[in-house]
Amino acid sequence: MIKVHHLDHSRSLRVLWMLEELGLPYQVVNYQRDPKTWLAPQALRDVHPLGKSPVLQDDALVLAESGAILEYLADRYDSGRQLSPEPMPAQAPERVRYRYWLHYAEGSAMPPLVMTLVFSRLRNAPMPFFAKPIARSIADKALKGFVGPQVKLHMDWMERELGQSPWFAGERFTAADIQMSFPIQAAAARGGDMAAYPRLQSYLSRIEQRPAYQRAVERGGPLNLGGGSR
């Protein structure tokens, strides 16, 4: 039995979703965030030294990192290539785009979104009254001068790319779309002007209407990405 160590309101929902799309049986071990810090509990360190989620257990294998987990599940269990392109030829357009978006989601899209969260929390963090104006000034300058433009750069890029095809890897839904769901949902939850991105809005609507996605939410709980995303 596959086991998923699942943290509420986190990236690990994507692993449950992938398993549901593949129709695989699995067990969910649920963990709750600290309501004050929004951090994962210490108990996750007993599963993996980094204490993060998701973590997948499949027989003797213990695997972290959502992108690596999705690739593993596709390689081992997606024999019909329902959610992944054929591995060869490696230069096939769908394969290249599939690989790119699987890595782009966490490697490029998420860092500015995490920085948005960090600076927004810094701006409103409890601190001595004399330090508040300094902290808010630093946070506002970072958000306006660097983080905000970086978020817009990536949102514009994703919107433009979805103008080429309905899904990130091409004409059909793949695991790359499962991986890309989280940064787009995070951007929408953190006050992004989604009205400027009709293709991304359509994308979110389409993925959230998928029966497998809805079953994953039933198993793992709905996402609330306004508070954190560790």
Side-chain angles (χ1 to χ4, degrees):
M1 175 70 73
I2 294 172
K3 183 183 295 185
V4 181
H5 295 270
H6 170 65
L7 180 65
D8 61 329
H9 312 303
S10 79
R11 293 161 166 83
S12 56
L13 181 66
R14 292 182 293 194
V15 177
L16 307 186
W17 180 13
M18 179 79 168
L19 291 164
E20 291 289 348
E21 292 280 359
L22 292 172
L24 296 172
Y26 63 96
Q27 176 186 354
V28 181
V29 183
N30 286 296
Y31 300 83
Q32 303 298 314
R33 295 179 182 275
D34 184 295
K36 292 183 179 179
T37 66
W38 207 248
L39 294 173
Q42 183 71 22
L44 268 171
R45 288 181 183 258
D46 297 334
V47 181
H48 190 277
L50 293 180
K52 304 292 184 181
S53 178
V55 175
L56 180 89
Q57 287 184 267
D58 190 11
D59 297 328
L61 174 72
V62 177
L63 184 63
E65 293 295 336
S66 53
I69 292 170
L70 297 193
E71 282 197 90
Y72 166 78
L73 291 173
D75 290 344
R76 179 166 184 183
Y77 293 106
D78 190 16
S79 57
R81 296 296 168 186
Q82 172 189 351
L83 298 173
S84 56
E86 292 289 344
M88 299 300 290
Q91 72 274 22
E94 186 187 35
R95 186 72 192 179
V96 171
R97 289 181 63 83
Y98 170 82
R99 185 183 297 113
Y100 172 80
W101 293 109
L102 272 176
H103 291 275
Y104 168 88
E106 294 294 334
S108 294
M110 277 307 300
L113 290 167
V114 172
M115 292 176 71
T116 299
L117 174 66
V118 169
F119 281 111
S120 297
R121 295 188 70 178
L122 172 64
R123 193 179 188 282
N124 300 304
M127 64 186 72
F129 74 92
F130 57 83
K132 283 186 177 181
I134 300 172
R136 288 181 177 176
S137 176
I138 292 172
D140 289 343
K141 286 180 180 178
L143 288 168
K144 184 177 180 180
F146 177 73
V147 180
Q150 282 294 306
V151 171
K152 184 179 185 304
L153 176 69
H154 286 281
M155 296 292 285
D156 290 346
W157 165 244
M158 291 184 283
E159 176 76 10
R160 187 163 62 250
E161 286 295 295
L162 282 180
Q164 297 187 27
S165 57
W167 301 103
F168 279 105
E171 295 301 315
R172 67 189 182 110
F173 175 86
T174 67
D177 297 293
I178 296 177
Q179 181 72 346
M180 282 297 299
S181 65
F182 191 83
I184 300 173
Q185 289 171 318
R190 291 171 192 167
D193 182 12
M194 296 303 291
Y197 303 106
R199 295 186 187 109
L200 293 178
Q201 281 188 310
S202 172
Y203 168 85
L204 286 179
S205 177
R206 284 182 285 135
I207 64 171
E208 291 172 0
Q209 289 173 10
R210 293 183 70 85
Y213 177 87
Q214 294 173 4
R215 291 194 299 271
V217 171
E218 289 175 5
R219 293 287 300 271
L223 283 174
N224 172 11
L225 299 181
S229 64
R230 299 173 188 81

